[in-house]
Amino acid sequence: LAKTTQPISMDSYEGQEVNITCSHNNIATNDYITWYQQFPSQGPRFIIQGYKTKVTNEVASLFIPADRKSSTLSLPRVSLSDTAVYYCLVGPDRGSTLGRLYFGRGTQLTVWP
Amino acid sequence: GAVVSQHPSWVICKSGTSVKIECRSLDFQATTMFWYRQFPKQSLMLMATSNEGSKATYEQGVEKDKFLINHASLTLSTLTVTSAHPEDSSFYICSARDVDLNNYGYTFGSGTRLTVV
C-alpha cells in the first residue's frame, strides 16, 4: 500500500482558496488518488478522485503532476463549514472490487472568519 | 445518493457487557462492508472487511473473537463488541460498497460512539 504524507493542520480565512498537498512517492501504476472529508463525529464523505492531470467537480479540484508522486486538493473560496479533516488515500479505483480504504493521518483544516 | 445508516448513533454500556452496532445500506445492496474504529484526534483504523454470506476478514491485531461481525444480508452488517471494556470506548464507523459498480464508491455511515463505563 502506498503511504501518504499530508500536513497535520492548515489554517485559512473565509473566501480564500485552500490547497492541501499529499505526497505518495510509492504510488503504483494502477492506483488512484482519492480525497475524503470528515466532520467531527461523522463518517468520511467522498470529495474527489483522480488518476492523472486535473479533475474538477462542484466541490473541489484535484491536481496530479505527471509523475503522480503527489497531488493537491484545491478548495475554492472556503467557508467556515469547510472546517474538517481531509484525508488523501491512494489505492484501487473506488469502482474496483479489490479495494479496501486505509486512512492516513489527514489534514485538519480550520477556516477562520 | 447512496445512504448508509448506523444504529445506534451512541451507546453507553457497562464493562463486561456486549454491544451490537448495526450498519444498513438503505438504497443499495452491498456485498462488502467495512468496519473502522477511530479514537479521538486519530485517523480511521480499518478493523475488518465483511462479505455477505461469508466470514469477515480481520486486519492484523484485531481480535475476531472480541469484535464479532455478521453480514447476513446484502443490506445489513452487524458488529458486536463482546465483553466490552473501557479501552473499547471509541467511534465505530461502517462503510459499504454498492454491488452495482456503475454506482461505485464507498459510502460511510455516520458512526457510533461507544462509551464503556
Side-chain angles (χ1 to χ4, degrees):
Chain A
L1 294 170
K3 182 179 178 180
T4 60
T5 303
Q6 305 173 230
I8 295 175
S9 64
M10 293 183 69
D11 290 287
S12 182
Y13 291 98
E14 282 190 291
Q16 291 188 335
E17 178 184 75
V18 171
N19 296 308
I20 306 175
T21 298
C22 177
S23 297
H24 28 79
N25 291 319
N26 297 322
I27 188 169
T29 303
N30 58 349
D31 280 342
Y32 283 70
I33 300 150
T34 311
W35 286 79
Y36 282 83
Q37 175 192 56
Q38 186 184 26
F39 296 112
S41 298
Q42 292 188 28
R45 182 177 73 101
F46 170 84
I47 300 175
I48 197 166
Q49 183 186 55
Y51 183 81
K52 62 179 180 181
T53 62
K54 176 184 176 182
V55 179
T56 299
N57 61 22
E58 65 277 7
V59 177
S61 294
L62 178 59
F63 298 92
I64 305 168
D67 66 5
R68 305 201 325 123
K69 293 184 182 299
S70 67
S71 59
T72 300
L73 173 71
S74 181
L75 304 172
R77 300 183 59 80
V78 294
S79 63
L80 297 177
S81 61
D82 292 316
T83 294
V85 178
Y86 292 82
Y87 294 97
C88 164
L89 285 76
V90 172
D93 174 20
R94 63 191 185 116
S96 168
T97 59
L98 302 175
R100 296 174 183 172
L101 295 184
Y102 294 93
F103 287 77
R105 290 180 174 269
T107 298
Q108 171 66 58
L109 171 66
T110 303
V111 180
W112 301 94
Chain B
V3 177
V4 172
S5 173
Q6 262 186 260
H7 180 80
S9 56
W10 61 271
V11 58
I12 301 173
C13 71
K14 291 185 177 181
S15 186
T17 63
S18 296
V19 173
K20 180 184 286 188
I21 302 170
E22 293 187 348
C23 178
R24 294 181 183 272
S25 55
L26 297 186
D27 48 3
F28 66 98
Q29 294 184 321
T31 51
T32 306
M33 290 187 175
F34 307 87
W35 287 96
Y36 293 83
R37 179 168 55 181
Q38 185 175 34
F39 293 109
K41 301 295 184 182
Q42 294 188 23
S43 184
L44 287 78
M45 185 194 80
L46 180 63
M47 299 174 66
T49 302
S50 165
N51 293 296
E52 186 264 338
S54 62
K55 290 183 177 180
T57 303
Y58 291 82
E59 295 295 308
Q60 189 173 6
V62 178
E63 301 175 59
K64 61 180 182 181
D65 294 329
K66 181 168 185 62
F67 299 100
L68 300 180
I69 292 172
N70 182 280
H71 192 164
S73 78
L74 287 174
T75 59
L76 174 64
S77 176
T78 60
L79 168 68
T80 301
V81 183
T82 63
S83 187
H85 291 286
E87 58 265 30
D88 298 321
S89 297
S90 187
F91 191 55
Y92 292 86
I93 307 169
C94 71
S95 175
R97 291 201 64 240
D98 198 328
V99 297
D100 184 350
L101 294 185
N102 289 321
N103 299 324
Y104 51 68
Y106 301 81
T107 304
F108 288 81
S110 54
T112 298
R113 177 76 58 192
L114 170 63
T115 303
V116 185
V117 297

